[in-house]
Amino acid sequence: MPCQPYSSDGNGLGKNDERDLLLEGVRAVKESQPRAFIFENVEGLLHGKHADHVAHALRILSKAGYSSEIHRINTRDYGIAQDRSRILIVGLRKGLAGAFRMPPKFPQLATNIGDALFDLMAANGWSGAED
């Protein structure tokens, strides 16, 4: 789902942004009836000014038979060479509620892009790889 409508770097127009597809995602879930779904977006999705829109989407999903949870994650906690916070809306059919658990975090695996790509940068003898 596009992040621009909820990004703090953008205008943060939320449901008033023509690029907002939150309710389209909800519609797709209602129509296809998957056992589970995940929507991913930026932290701005949880700003107070968007609360009514997010709550409306969650109500529709609940009426469609889904139990939804909101999780805040940071990619660095999973060994990704980024400091990137994200919001996940995880939904399961109500009969499966409780079957999902967020994977454990591994903060000791946190790295940076230089360390992650060092071997590739140094592979052909690039003298600046150490820097």
Side-chain angles (χ1 to χ4, degrees), residues 55-126:
H56 176 66
L58 295 175
R59 278 191 302 275
I60 295 170
L61 289 165
S62 180
K63 288 178 184 176
Y66 290 89
S67 177
S68 301
E69 302 174 354
I70 298 175
H71 297 275
R72 185 181 305 234
I73 67 164
N74 192 304
T75 57
R76 73 171 174 248
D77 293 332
Y78 298 96
I80 307 297
Q82 292 180 333
D83 184 7
R84 189 177 197 90
S85 294
R86 286 300 199 236
I87 298 301
L88 301 178
I89 299 175
V90 179
L92 297 161
R93 285 192 193 154
K94 289 187 178 174
L96 299 172
F100 175 79
R101 300 215 191 333
M102 284 295 293
K105 295 178 181 179
F106 300 99
Q108 70 276 13
L109 295 178
T111 186
N112 62 56
I113 197 71
D115 290 341
L117 297 179
F118 174 74
D119 60 335
L120 295 172
M121 293 187 295
N124 291 323
W126 182 42

